Amino acid sequence: MDPVRYRLLGTTQAHRPDGTPVPVGGARLRALLSVLALRAGRTVPAGVLVDEVWGADPPADAAGALQALVGRLRRALGAGAVASAEGGYRLVAAPDDVDLTRFDRLTGEGLAALSDGDPAKAAVVLDDALALWRGPALADLPDRTAEAVRWETRRLDALRARHTAALALGHAERSLPELAALCDGHPLDEPLQALRLRALRDLGRPAQALAAYDEVRQLLADRLGSDPGPELRALHGELLLAEATDPAPGTPAAPAAPEPGPTPPPPSSATCRPGSPPSSAASRTSRPSAPTSVPPGWSPCSDPAGPARPGCPRRPPSRCGTPPGTGCGWRNWRPWTTRTPYRRPC
């Protein structure tokens, strides 16, 4: 016999492997199936079944009423779907045959993929998990409010993880409407509010994100008397920094500064230029470096009385009235020092 799939995320249902629904009529019959499916593959004591199905108003013959109800469920699902065990009954099904346990497994896989840095895989797995929801969990077990709340919390975990993966994949525009609706339904959920602020930031709306943060901060102060948590405060700092560094839309950008031209080399006080004595006091108290170029028509000094002075230009003899070999009118010119007075050229 092919296994039946059971759905508890919404009104309790049973489906054949080909998708054909199995009629499960009556509130008490659906409640019995819900209790057995929550513990698929495990024996549920008869007393627990009576308490879950009838609550505080059990029938006079509880054991007989339970046996009759189990008989009706077997006729609907098949004779081998519900097995009798010592002191109770067991639904013959694997854990993955129940949508609620399958949702829990897929959610765990999606969270693990997101932690491992694989948002694409996380998005696919979490989409499969969230698609199993058709309505409130355990809708046919009104007395299991705490259990239903636990599964709603698990669903919210899956939704947060799914939108975290969407933002990591660059799908902020697609996620923002659903995030806004989730924040309206859970205004005090700070992780959801942080995801909405990140979506606004990723869409280039830092001003709206800052305004939304102020609303959340005021809401937390009014309802809980507390400030936003570390995650929201850190995100607020990032938003302030981004708005300080990025110009507002429509603001003309400041003109770019012109690129500086080539910097001319500093003048050298050691260049031999006739008629240009040093003008600074510092040049008269320290020996300058040798000139880096020689003016046209000049040549390095070559006084026969001593070695040539590299870098010290002099005029050709033909342009100077002094005899050859005695040096030109510069009197064996050398860079200016305090011991050598300035001499005018011949």
Side-chain angles (χ1 to χ4, degrees):
M1 178 180 173
D2 293 332
V4 178
R5 295 297 182 94
Y6 303 98
R7 299 181 178 181
L8 302 180
L9 299 174
T11 304
T12 302
Q13 296 178 359
H15 287 262
R16 303 291 180 191
D18 61 357
T20 304
V22 177
V24 182
R28 286 199 175 97
L29 195 62
R30 289 195 301 271
L32 175 63
L33 178 57
S34 300
V35 177
L36 291 171
L38 274 174
R39 302 168 177 85
R42 296 177 290 167
T43 300
V44 184
V48 173
L49 291 173
V50 171
D51 290 341
E52 294 282 2
V53 174
W54 283 278
D57 188 21
D61 183 9
L66 177 61
Q67 187 175 8
L69 198 61
V70 170
R72 287 177 54 194
L73 188 59
R74 283 173 174 163
R75 287 192 295 272
L77 301 176
V82 181
S84 297
E86 186 177 355
Y89 298 93
R90 172 172 55 88
L91 184 67
V92 180
D96 241 26
D97 291 337
V98 182
D99 61 353
L100 190 145
T101 53
R102 188 161 68 255
F103 162 77
D104 191 39
R105 176 182 62 79
L106 291 172
T107 299
E109 293 178 3
L111 293 174
L114 192 61
S115 299
D116 293 340
D118 192 351
K121 177 183 177 181
V124 173
V125 176
L126 291 169
D127 279 342
D128 291 342
L130 292 167
L132 297 172
W133 283 74
R134 300 168 293 104
L138 307 176
D140 286 298
L141 285 177
D143 293 337
R144 297 295 293 265
T145 305
E147 184 80 6
V149 168
R150 184 174 75 85
W151 287 109
E152 289 289 346
T153 302
R154 185 64 166 167
R155 177 174 178 264
L156 207 54
D157 292 339
L159 285 168
R160 292 192 203 98
R162 178 60 184 92
H163 287 292
T164 300
L167 296 184
L169 295 171
H171 300 159
E173 187 173 3
R174 194 182 310 168
S175 286
L176 184 57
E178 186 176 356
L179 281 172
L182 286 170
C183 289
D184 290 341
H186 306 274
L188 301 179
D189 191 313
E190 293 192 37
L192 273 179
Q193 296 285 5
L195 285 170
R196 180 166 69 107
L197 298 186
R198 288 195 179 96
L200 289 170
R201 178 197 62 187
D202 293 348
L203 290 174
R205 306 179 195 173
Q208 294 183 27
L210 287 171
Y213 173 84
D214 289 338
E215 294 175 2
V216 174
R217 180 182 57 78
Q218 189 63 45
L219 185 66
L220 292 172
D222 293 343
R223 294 197 184 181
L224 303 179
S226 63
D227 293 326
E231 183 181 11
L232 274 177
R233 292 200 305 270
L235 184 56
H236 181 238
E238 295 175 11
L239 292 169
L240 290 175
L241 182 62
E243 190 168 30
T245 55
D246 296 340
T251 303
E259 296 186 0
T263 304
S268 174
S269 58
T271 306
C272 301
R273 296 180 58 191
S276 301
S279 59
S280 66
S283 64
R284 295 195 295 272
T285 58
S286 62
R287 183 178 298 275
S289 60
T292 58
S293 62
V294 178
W298 291 59
S299 62
C301 297
S302 57
D303 194 324
R309 300 181 179 88
C312 180
R314 54 165 291 181
R315 291 181 179 177
S318 61
R319 297 175 60 184
C320 185
T322 58
T326 60
C328 75
W330 288 88
R331 302 285 186 181
N332 295 325
W333 187 94
R334 57 182 173 176
W336 183 274
T337 66
T338 56
R339 296 182 180 179
T340 305
Y342 175 75
R343 299 183 182 278
R344 300 174 63 84
C346 61

